[in-house]
Amino acid sequence: QVQLVESGGGSVQAGGSLRLSCTTSGVTYGSACMAWFRQVPGKERERVAVIYRGGQSTYYADSVKGRFTISTDNAKNMVILQMNSLKPEDTAMYYCAADPVYFLHGMPRCEYSSWGQGTQVTVSS
């Protein structure tokens, strides 16, 4: 059974940094998609970053490209989202998600059936 627990959220001023961690159990990183999503009340959930199969490839939303970095610490069973140059529009609840990866027309895909409880990030101007 997969379990995901996020930590590291908090309040920071614009331009600052935060490091989110997702501690996992039951996930085989070499065959999984690990992702961070975020959601603001009243808005659609946004996929922020994905790391495929333990680091073979990554994806970033245009809104965070160049500022956020997703990585894994396999020894600690952890997925990390390093967030730099934070902006007020990054304020949201951040969720960790995971699923076994599959390929469609040669491209990695995930359904994200497992989710954490979320951690709040607040960026003030």
Side-chain angles (χ1 to χ4, degrees):
Q1 184 175 357
V2 174
Q3 290 189 323
L4 310 174
V5 179
E6 302 96 333
S7 61
S11 297
V12 65
Q13 288 192 327
S17 298
L18 281 174
R19 183 177 182 265
L20 304 184
S21 298
C22 175
T23 302
T24 70
S25 61
V27 176
T28 303
Y29 284 21
S31 59
C33 304
M34 300 297 305
W36 286 94
F37 288 77
R38 66 186 181 187
Q39 189 164 25
V40 176
K43 293 190 176 181
E44 287 191 5
R45 185 173 58 198
E46 178 185 16
R47 185 180 56 167
V48 174
V50 186
I51 188 163
Y52 296 96
R53 301 175 75 178
Q56 284 194 358
S57 60
T58 56
Y59 159 88
Y60 295 96
D62 287 343
S63 57
V64 306
K65 205 170 289 185
R67 300 187 297 122
F68 290 12
T69 303
I70 189 170
S71 62
T72 62
D73 184 335
N74 292 351
K76 296 181 179 179
N77 291 324
M78 196 175 287
V79 182
I80 297 160
L81 186 68
Q82 179 65 42
M83 306 186 296
N84 298 328
S85 302
L86 282 162
K87 304 175 181 180
E89 51 264 43
D90 294 318
T91 295
M93 184 71 79
Y94 283 71
Y95 297 91
C96 179
D99 215 33
V101 65
Y102 67 95
F103 289 84
L104 182 64
H105 305 303
M107 298 298 293
R109 292 287 184 269
C110 278
E111 299 297 333
Y112 300 114
S113 58
S114 299
W115 293 83
Q117 82 290 347
T119 185
Q120 177 67 37
V121 171
T122 302
V123 184
S124 58
S125 57

